[in-house]
């Protein structure tokens, strides 16, 4: 079992930046691939990106590529989502997720989820 808690969300103007954190507790953090997803009102949950166990590989949705960066600190049991050049369409609840294997954008394959943190980008 692993418990995930996101933080760092908030209200930001378009063009601004935020850094989300996802702190994990429980079993060995480094044994999990970590993913970030988001869900806007009335829309399905959307893959944002993922990072491999060691952090050596990252994957991003086309919509955020070049603007968002995922990193992890296994010593701190934390994964980060740095979001730059934010747009109003980035407004959503952001979730981190964990699984022992990489599942890409298939959210239903991730076993563990945080409660989410709201990100609102004003125009």
């Amino acid at each position: 079992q692993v418990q995930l808690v996101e933080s760092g969300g908030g209200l930001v103007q378009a063009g601004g930046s935020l850094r989300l954190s996802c702190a994990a507790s429980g079993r060995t953090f480094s044994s999990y691939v970590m993913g970030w997803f988001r869900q806007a009102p009335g829309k399905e949950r959307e893959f944002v990106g993922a990072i491999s166990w060691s952090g050596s590989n990252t994957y991003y949705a086309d919509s955020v590529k070049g603007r968002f960066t995922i990193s992890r600190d296994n010593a701190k049991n934390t994964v980060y989502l740095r979001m730059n050049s934010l747009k109003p369409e980035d407004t959503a609840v952001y979730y981190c997720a964990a699984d022992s294997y990489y599942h890409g954008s298939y959210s239903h394959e991730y076993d563990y989820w945080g409660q989410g943190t709201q990100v609102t980008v004003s125009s």
Side-chain angles (χ1 to χ4, degrees), residues 20-97:
L20 306 184
S21 300
C22 173
S25 61
R27 294 179 60 186
T28 306
F29 179 67
S30 60
S31 67
Y32 292 99
V33 172
M34 300 300 297
W36 284 97
F37 292 79
R38 66 187 182 185
Q39 189 166 19
K43 294 187 177 181
E44 293 188 354
R45 192 165 294 188
E46 174 189 22
F47 175 73
V48 174
I51 188 166
S52 61
W53 304 266
S54 67
S56 58
N57 293 296
T58 52
Y59 313 88
Y60 298 97
D62 288 343
S63 58
V64 306
K65 200 172 294 182
R67 299 188 298 122
F68 289 12
T69 302
I70 299 174
S71 60
R72 67 189 297 163
D73 186 338
N74 286 344
K76 294 183 178 180
N77 286 3
T78 303
V79 62
Y80 304 97
L81 177 65
R82 177 68 180 183
M83 305 183 292
N84 295 329
S85 303
L86 282 162
K87 305 175 181 179
E89 51 263 43
D90 294 318
T91 295
V93 177
Y94 283 71
Y95 300 89
C96 65

